[in-house]
Amino acid sequence: MTEPSKVIHVRNVGHEISEPDLLQLFQPFGVINKLVMLRAKNQALLQMQDVPSAVNAMQFYANVQPSIRGRNVYVQFSSHQELTTMEQNTQGRGDEPNRILLVTIHHMLYPITVEVLQQVFSPHGYVEKIVTFQKSAGFQALIQFQSRQSAISARNSLQGRNIYDGCCQLDIQFSNLDELQVNYNNDRSRDFTNPSLPSEQKGRPSSQPGYGDAGVGFPQMNNGAAIAAAFGGGLPPGISGTNDRCTVLASNLNPDRIDENKLFNLFSLYGNIARIKLLRNKPDHALIQMGDGFQSELAVHFLKGATLFGKRLEVNYSKHPHITMGAETHEYLNSNLNRFNRNAAKNYRYCCSPTKMIHLSTLPQDITEEEM
């Protein structure tokens, strides 16, 4: 155990978890001085006013599993005794006001363009320039207002809000840049003060040197094009895209209510299912073999901690590379109910943690609400 500290380290902070969610978890134990979200690592650092407050929180959560939006989070004392900076990002400077905002968009189910961002931010003042780019933390944008007051107003009003219902959540900080450089006016960057800029460099598509990580791309795998099309050039926050283990182990299942077909229905939201096997010697465990490592990573990321038939689901990678065929193995390899074949890009875009809302599509036109 690390020695007690007023700084608490929180792990498994999924992109659906916001700053207010975390504050709510720890506010009963005392004043919270600082909170740093480490989005790229699915972690957060939170500094209480004093060590006794942090100790109280840790003692309470040693006996009660902390959970936010159906996801278990794990807490421990940090090795830091003090948080020296509000923001670990090289382009963000936390709470020192500036007319340029650094915006990270989480849970991006729909593509976000310069036009969308201008619509969202311009009610707070004149937006001069916007540059968008892909970083390991996800899709980001730098937005330059004419005045610092406009940027402060936009941050105060929009921080933590969703652009679309239930997705595209805004995480806004002040940037440490003094002036944005925009070379091209297109979907990815725009200088509203200079409409005569070219749309791209002759002979090659434009990029934004100096802001984004040009190297953040996709793992070389057969569904790379579909993933790229779905996520607009980047992976969802918390997804590495480098996992190569296809088989996952689901545990803490409800043996009285679960069967292979129900597991197929649930896990097939995140990829194709090859085989499923319920373990006879551990009736609350099952092995699920997905189509590839990326699909199994999506399943682990989005389903871990979900509630299934009254029990909190645990999903982890299995040490078995695949499930061997046998009397108790259910084969789904050639099932026409697998979703990720013809229209994989659309299905990747719908991947998210379970919610109370169900989205039905391709319904017959004459269906009534009573029939549904």
Side-chain angles (χ1 to χ4, degrees), residues 32-74:
I32 298 161
N33 284 350
K34 293 178 182 176
L35 172 62
V36 175
M37 302 291 273
L38 306 172
R39 287 290 184 190
K41 296 179 177 177
N42 270 17
Q43 296 174 6
L45 291 168
L46 183 132
Q47 182 174 314
M48 305 297 289
Q49 188 172 25
D50 51 36
V51 174
S53 303
V55 169
N56 287 343
M58 291 296 293
Q59 283 173 342
F60 180 79
Y61 288 124
N63 302 312
V64 177
Q65 171 61 58
S67 171
I68 303 173
R69 298 178 186 267
R71 175 190 281 268
N72 284 354
V73 294
Y74 303 98

Side-chain angles (χ1 to χ4, degrees), residues 158-179:
L158 298 173
Q159 169 60 13
R161 301 275 294 276
N162 292 336
I163 295 180
Y164 298 111
D165 193 23
C167 66
C168 303
Q169 186 187 44
L170 296 165
D171 190 353
I172 307 171
Q173 310 149 225
F174 295 111
S175 168
N176 62 5
L177 299 170
D178 296 317
E179 182 75 33

Side-chain angles (χ1 to χ4, degrees), residues 105-113 116 139 163-168 229-232 349-350 359:
I105 296 175
H106 302 297
H107 199 24
M108 197 167 109
L109 294 191
Y110 302 109
I112 300 296
T113 61
V116 172
F139 181 87
I163 295 180
Y164 298 111
D165 193 23
C167 66
C168 303
F231 296 123
R349 200 161 58 238
Y350 290 146
H359 180 160

Side-chain angles (χ1 to χ4, degrees), residues 135-194:
K135 294 271 285 188
S136 52
F139 181 87
Q140 295 189 313
L142 288 161
I143 298 173
Q144 179 174 315
F145 281 93
Q146 193 169 35
S147 77
R148 194 171 71 165
Q149 197 49 51
S150 299
I152 294 169
S153 161
R155 183 178 189 260
N156 289 345
S157 300
L158 298 173
Q159 169 60 13
R161 301 275 294 276
N162 292 336
I163 295 180
Y164 298 111
D165 193 23
C167 66
C168 303
Q169 186 187 44
L170 296 165
D171 190 353
I172 307 171
Q173 310 149 225
F174 295 111
S175 168
N176 62 5
L177 299 170
D178 296 317
E179 182 75 33
L180 281 187
Q181 184 187 345
V182 176
N183 301 319
Y184 311 105
N185 283 339
N186 55 34
D187 274 352
R188 295 176 298 283
S189 64
R190 188 74 49 91
D191 183 343
F192 297 98
T193 67
N194 184 4

Side-chain angles (χ1 to χ4, degrees), residues 50-124:
D50 51 36
V51 174
S53 303
V55 169
N56 287 343
M58 291 296 293
Q59 283 173 342
F60 180 79
Y61 288 124
N63 302 312
V64 177
Q65 171 61 58
S67 171
I68 303 173
R69 298 178 186 267
R71 175 190 281 268
N72 284 354
V73 294
Y74 303 98
V75 297
Q76 63 192 65
F77 288 118
S78 169
S79 53
H80 300 283
Q81 287 297 315
E82 191 91 26
L83 286 180
T84 51
T85 170
M86 269 302 288
E87 185 42 61
Q88 309 295 315
N89 191 305
T90 51
Q91 287 175 7
R93 58 175 167 197
D95 275 354
E96 190 185 332
N98 182 19
R99 68 184 181 130
I100 301 177
L101 298 175
L102 174 65
V103 180
T104 307
I105 296 175
H106 302 297
H107 199 24
M108 197 167 109
L109 294 191
Y110 302 109
I112 300 296
T113 61
V114 161
E115 281 82 7
V116 172
L117 290 168
Q118 190 205 18
Q119 269 185 317
V120 170
F121 282 86
S122 58
H124 299 279

